[in-house]
Amino acid sequence: MVYSTHLFRHLRFTIGQNIQRLRNERKLSLHKLSNLTNIAVASLDCYEIGKNEIHLYELLKIACVLEV
């Protein structure tokens, strides 16, 4: 099965929106989330805007901190 680049872009954007929403609901700054996950602030910012693909192990770290 062939997936389009558009689909992957949409998934990155949707995941990023969800991370940002959950982070804001929990009143965490990017810096605080960075400290708790040991992921660079710049990387988290790129994930939230859907600019970069997120690695599964980093997504799992974020999910644990956000308790989802």
Side-chain angles (χ1 to χ4, degrees):
M1 182 181 290
V2 177
Y3 295 100
S4 71
T5 303
H6 176 72
L7 174 64
F8 287 116
R9 258 193 314 246
H10 179 72
L11 287 173
R12 282 196 317 258
F13 181 72
T14 302
I15 290 168
Q17 281 184 319
N18 286 327
I19 292 170
Q20 185 176 45
R21 178 181 53 80
L22 291 164
R23 179 179 60 77
N24 288 331
E25 285 174 3
R26 284 148 179 80
K27 298 183 181 0
L28 291 172
S29 67
L30 275 174
H31 291 281
K32 181 67 175 178
L33 184 58
S34 173
N35 288 337
L36 293 170
T37 59
N38 201 27
I39 300 171
V41 172
S43 294
L44 290 171
D45 187 47
C46 286
Y47 298 152
E48 286 189 358
I49 63 173
K51 184 176 178 184
N52 292 351
E53 286 184 27
I54 186 167
H55 297 284
L56 181 59
Y57 65 91
E58 289 186 335
L59 185 58
L60 290 172
K61 285 192 218 178
I62 294 167
C64 287
V65 169
L66 297 176
E67 299 178 340
V68 292

